[in-house]
Structures are given as C-alpha cells and as structure tokens.
Amino acid sequence: MSTMTSFSASLPPSLRLAQAVGIMTSAFLSGGVLAVSYGFVPSMSQAPNTLLVREWKTTYGRGVAASPALAIVSTLSFAWLSYSLSFTLNHHKAEIYALAAVATGSIVPFTIIFMKSVNGKLNRKVQDSKHLSRMEEMNESKDKKGEKSQELLDWWAIMNFARGLMPLAGASLGIYASFYIDS
C-alpha cells in the first residue's frame, strides 16, 4: 500500500476540495511573493532610482490587491480542515492543518508589523520622485536619514523573501497532512 493514500481516502468531497484549495492557494501565494524578491528586485537594480521606486509601487500594488485574499482563502481552508477533523480520530492531522493555517496566515501580521516601516519609506520615495528633475532622477543622493532607494528595496526584498516562506511552510504542512498522514 502506498504512503500517499490520505488525500483520496474516506474524506468527503468538501474536505478534499479544502485540501486542494488550501495547498494550491498557499503555494501560489508563496511563489508569487518569492518571485518578486528573487526575480523583480534584482532585475531592477540597474534602473534609475525614480523608475525603480515607481516599478516597486506598481508591483507592490498588485501584491496588495491579490495576496491578502489568497492568504485568507488558504488559511480558512486549512482552519476548516483542522476544525472538521478535530472531531474525528484524526487529531494529529487536525493539528498539522492548524499549523498550516497559522503558517500561511502569519504573512498578514508579518507584513503589517515588520514591513510597514520600509513600505512607508519606499512610498515616500515614490512621492518624492514625482518632484525631481531629470538630472536629479539620475543622481539620487541619500535622503534625510541617509537611505537610498536601492538600499531600501534590497532590504524590502529580504523581508519579502522571508514573508514568502510562510505560505510555503503552510503548503508543505498541508501536503504532509493530506498525503502522508493516514486517516
């Protein structure tokens, strides 16, 4: 007998759907967040500073539009699985789904608590860039606190990468509970 039998074994279709939705949305969220840190930020490092912060703002806006909904859907899917299975003999599986919900959902408070400052600084850079001449755009001096746009974006990318690992952990825990823990 294969060790990967839990997904299709004896669960009602609604719980199997919740497994698929929780795993897929958390994996998609993680992939999107990590791709921005790994792909977008390094590719923008040669851009003029005003373009750099404006492109960050566009990318950030897309993330703000999609990421919270994906995090909520995934978190609720895992939480519902945990709640539903807690009334059965599958307590261990229920606990793993609860951990998946916490891991995925933690992306929201992490963003609010730890990234608010750098997001605010980058947003101020976007606003400031609207008032620069062409020459000033090319030669950005450090701002009042000594921070350049590229330095802020590099720090943002590191924190965003850490943020992307949270739903990845949720997806991994969801896969583990769905496929490797017997019902």
Side-chain angles (χ1 to χ4, degrees):
M1 186 168 137
S2 171
T3 59
M4 290 184 60
T5 59
S6 298
F7 185 74
S8 61
S10 72
L11 285 179
S14 60
L15 292 183
R16 288 190 302 217
L17 179 62
Q19 287 175 319
V21 168
I23 292 167
M24 288 178 8
T25 55
S26 59
F28 184 80
L29 174 58
S30 176
V33 170
L34 293 173
V36 169
S37 287
Y38 186 74
F40 166 75
V41 172
S43 70
M44 289 300 296
S45 66
Q46 299 302 312
N49 293 311
T50 53
L51 177 62
L52 179 79
V53 294
R54 288 177 186 161
E55 289 299 319
W56 169 83
K57 180 68 172 178
T58 301
T59 303
Y60 175 78
R62 288 182 180 150
V64 167
S67 295
L70 292 169
I72 289 168
V73 167
S74 180
T75 299
L76 290 176
S77 295
F78 288 139
W80 185 52
L81 284 161
S82 177
Y83 176 78
S84 298
L85 294 174
S86 66
F87 297 108
T88 68
L89 295 177
N90 290 322
H91 294 291
H92 182 60
K93 190 178 267 200
E95 291 168 350
I96 300 299
Y97 282 127
L99 288 173
V102 169
T104 302
S106 64
I107 193 171
V108 174
F110 180 89
T111 304
I112 293 167
I113 295 167
F114 296 106
M115 295 186 74
K116 183 177 182 178
S117 174
V118 73
N119 287 342
K121 290 175 183 178
L122 283 165
N123 276 313
R124 281 189 293 285
K125 290 279 190 184
V126 172
Q127 293 305 314
D128 292 346
S129 74
K130 293 177 182 177
H131 308 290
L132 296 177
S133 69
R134 191 67 136 165
M135 187 56 92
E136 289 171 323
E137 286 180 17
M138 301 303 283
N139 300 315
E140 179 193 39
S141 61
K142 293 184 178 183
D143 65 11
K144 294 173 191 165
K145 293 187 179 180
E147 296 170 320
K148 286 190 168 190
S149 299
Q150 185 63 53
E151 293 167 353
L152 288 170
L153 190 61
D154 289 344
W155 177 240
W156 180 88
I158 291 167
M159 291 182 23
N160 192 60
F161 188 86
R163 193 175 149 260
L165 296 176
M166 296 167 192
L168 179 61
S172 299
L173 289 164
I175 290 168
Y176 176 68
S178 296
F179 295 107
Y180 294 100
I181 298 176
D182 289 329
S183 297

